[in-house]
Amino acid sequence: MVTDTEGYIHIIEYLTEHLSLFENSSAANNSSETVIEVIEQELSEQIMIVCNQNEELSFNQRNIIIREIDAIVYDLEEILSGVITNPITNSQKEFLKEFALLIKNLFDSEVHTQFLS
C-alpha cells in the first residue's frame, strides 16, 4: 500500500539525508525515552488520527494500515539500528515528529486513493 510507493521512497531518502542527527548524539542526554519509543509513539498517534478521520474504513483495511506501519517501523529499525535504543535528543524527537507527519500525509493520500475512491 504505502511502502511500495514513490512517496515512501522519498520519505526514506529524506531520513537518510538527515542521519547526521542520529550520529554522535550527546551521551549526556538525560532523556528517559529511546529513539525506538518515540518512533513507535509518533507513528501510532498519526495512524490513529488517520483511522479516526476515516471512520468508513473496514476492519480489513485498518489491518492493512497496521501491517504497513509495522513494516515502516521495521525499516526504521534497520536504518537506525546503531542508535535505536539510545536516549533521544530534542532535535531527534522533533525530526521524528516531522517524519511521522510525512508518513501520515502519505497514508492520507493512499487511503483516499486505494480505499475511498
Side-chain angles (χ1 to χ4, degrees), residues 53-103:
Q53 289 173 338
N54 298 286
E55 293 176 359
E56 61 276 15
L57 290 172
S58 71
F59 178 77
N60 288 337
Q61 290 167 330
R62 291 173 191 268
N63 280 337
I64 291 168
I65 292 169
I66 291 168
R67 282 194 303 272
E68 286 285 309
I69 285 296
D70 287 344
I72 292 168
V73 170
Y74 178 80
D75 287 348
L76 296 177
E77 286 174 333
E78 290 292 310
I79 294 167
L80 299 171
S81 62
V83 298
I84 205 79
T85 58
N86 289 357
I88 194 158
T89 66
N90 289 334
S91 58
Q92 291 168 345
K93 191 171 189 173
E94 288 304 312
F95 176 82
L96 290 173
K97 284 179 181 252
E98 178 185 340
F99 185 84
L101 285 170
L102 292 172
I103 294 291

Side-chain angles (χ1 to χ4, degrees), residues 35-47:
V35 172
I36 189 61
E37 289 171 338
V38 171
I39 288 170
E40 290 171 346
Q41 176 186 350
E42 292 299 325
L43 288 175
S44 296
E45 287 176 10
Q46 294 306 320
I47 289 311

Side-chain angles (χ1 to χ4, degrees), residues 14-24 79-80 95:
Y14 177 71
L15 170 64
T16 59
E17 291 169 4
H18 291 84
L19 282 179
S20 61
L21 269 172
F22 296 91
E23 297 170 356
N24 304 319
I79 294 167
L80 299 171
F95 176 82

